[in-house]
Amino acid sequence: MNPFNVFKYVPLSVMRALALFVAWIAILIPDLKIKRNIRINLRLAYPEFSEEECDSFTKTVIKNQALIAVESIKCWAMEPEWSLAQIENVYNKEIFDEALANPNGMLAIVPHLGTWEVMNAWINQFGSPTILYKPVKHKAVNDFILAGRQRLNATLVPTDASGVKAIFKTLKSGGFSIVLPDHVPQPSGGVIVPFFGIETLSSTLAPKLASKTKCALVGLTCIRNSNNRFDIFCTKLDDPDLYSRNIEVATYALNAAMEKMIKVCPSSYMWSYRRFKHIPNLGNPYKATNEQLIEYLKNK
């Protein structure tokens, strides 16, 4: 028996309380790496923030990420029906329905925003999406996550050329897939375009799939609401630039679309992720000195 299955029997309220306690301790540790990553990202994405605003926002982000982590764990431990029961509202579902009916297939754009694992169960009610899956190094953790994902209707494919080919085939046959396109790609799989005003390496996978298949694009996010349940937001992505054969134009349009989605609830975005690892004229900001960051922002 996988030891992580114990979370099936731990109430979510208890897991959330524990998450907030851990977050409180993390906030008190001055040189914690996650705090440094968040602060660097905020300095880049929100240069107008004062020190006080940055500190306050960092604390909120840490709390939200701790909550998202335990909510995801609970999703993996439970049956899909449990996740469905946590959803209170679905906004603009007609956008999702229209995209799903597109004969060229549908590609759901899902940034690292909110508790997307809850949303997985909802999406999988409408068919069998093809989704990229990268195994986690720790075997017990990977087995636990994999078991949770395999309870759904999704077809999991590797994060390599064969997986991309499988997604392409799914879209060409009128099916649908889900992509989290705000990760840092290998240089061969990305271009340098702005994201939150910062020129940085950005994934070209989703724009290439859209250009080649003319599939419908829809933005999906799942945010915890004031009732400690979840709201799903469907966003229409119909900017013609998203389908441009010019990959820089299309990727820039996708980054701009994700920015709008994130700004609906920016404190629920995964700001601890080293999204800006490749910046021209700076390199890796997470290894830069404070002086180098100041100089870069001054000249940006």
Side-chain angles (χ1 to χ4, degrees):
M1 179 180 172
N2 192 301
F4 292 98
N5 288 337
V6 70
F7 290 110
K8 183 175 183 178
Y9 307 102
V10 182
L12 181 58
S13 59
V14 173
M15 294 174 67
R16 281 173 167 159
L18 180 60
L20 291 174
F21 175 71
V22 171
W24 176 72
I25 293 191
I27 289 167
L28 294 177
I29 300 174
D31 299 320
L32 199 65
K33 184 180 290 187
I34 186 175
K35 287 172 66 175
R36 185 172 187 273
N37 291 345
I38 292 170
R39 288 186 64 86
I40 289 173
N41 284 337
L42 294 182
R43 289 178 71 181
L44 292 168
Y46 294 96
E48 71 276 12
F49 273 11
S50 67
E51 280 298 312
E52 292 75 16
E53 288 172 321
C54 194
D55 283 342
S56 175
F57 199 86
T58 298
K59 292 174 183 176
T60 303
V61 168
I62 290 173
K63 291 175 183 176
N64 277 335
Q65 290 198 193
L67 289 170
I68 290 167
V70 297
E71 289 160 357
S72 298
I73 290 169
K74 189 65 175 175
C75 288
W76 296 322
M78 304 298 288
E79 296 297 323
E81 291 75 17
W82 181 89
S83 295
L84 290 173
Q86 310 309 308
I87 298 168
E88 188 164 55
N89 301 294
V90 178
Y91 293 103
N92 303 316
K93 185 175 178 291
E94 68 280 1
I95 292 173
F96 178 83
D97 292 337
E98 181 185 350
L100 195 63
N102 191 302
N104 296 324
M106 180 193 81
L107 187 63
I109 300 300
V110 181
H112 288 80
L113 176 70
T115 311
W116 58 88
E117 293 294 345
V118 169
M119 189 169 62
N120 272 347
W122 180 81
I123 296 172
N124 276 263
Q125 297 178 101
F126 303 98
S128 179
T130 301
I131 304 174
L132 295 172
Y133 178 74
K134 184 177 182 179
V136 179
K137 290 181 180 180
H138 191 289
K139 186 179 185 306
V141 175
N142 183 67
D143 290 348
F144 175 64
I145 296 173
L146 198 56
R149 296 269 176 87
Q150 288 175 337
R151 293 190 191 101
L152 305 172
N153 294 321
T155 299
L156 304 179
V157 295
T159 54
D160 57 20
S162 67
V164 174
K165 186 176 180 181
I167 291 179
F168 182 79
K169 185 177 180 180
T170 295
L171 295 174
K172 290 293 285 183
S173 65
F176 69 103
S177 182
I178 303 162
V179 174
L180 281 72
D182 53 339
H183 66 281
V184 179
Q186 294 296 321
S188 61
V191 291
I192 302 291
V193 291
F195 184 60
F196 278 89
I198 302 296
E199 296 274 346
T200 192
L201 186 65
S202 302
S203 173
T204 58
L205 174 59
K208 285 180 177 177
L209 288 169
S211 176
K212 289 178 179 178
T213 66
K214 305 304 178 186
C215 63
L217 297 173
V218 60
L220 295 176
T221 53
C222 183
I223 307 295
R224 183 188 324 102
N225 63 28
S226 58
N227 297 324
N228 268 332
R229 296 183 69 199
F230 297 93
D231 294 335
I232 291 175
F233 296 86
C234 307
T235 303
K236 191 163 189 172
L237 304 181
D238 56 357
D239 182 349
D241 282 350
L242 290 165
Y243 296 89
S244 174
R245 291 186 178 183
N246 183 318
I247 196 60
E248 284 85 6
V249 170
T251 308
Y252 177 38
L254 181 60
N255 279 358
M258 285 194 292
E259 279 185 44
K260 290 180 181 178
M261 293 164 67
I262 291 164
K263 287 176 179 177
V264 171
C265 188
S267 63
S268 289
Y269 188 61
M270 190 183 284
W271 291 108
S272 63
Y273 180 57
R274 297 185 172 195
R275 175 64 184 83
F276 301 103
K277 279 201 289 190
H278 300 280
I279 298 177
N281 304 321
L282 178 63
N284 187 338
Y286 311 103
K287 294 182 179 179
T289 64
N290 190 51
E291 290 73 22
Q292 288 172 320
L293 278 173
I294 292 172
E295 186 66 20
Y296 169 78
L297 290 169
K298 187 192 301 182
N299 298 321
K300 182 172 74 72

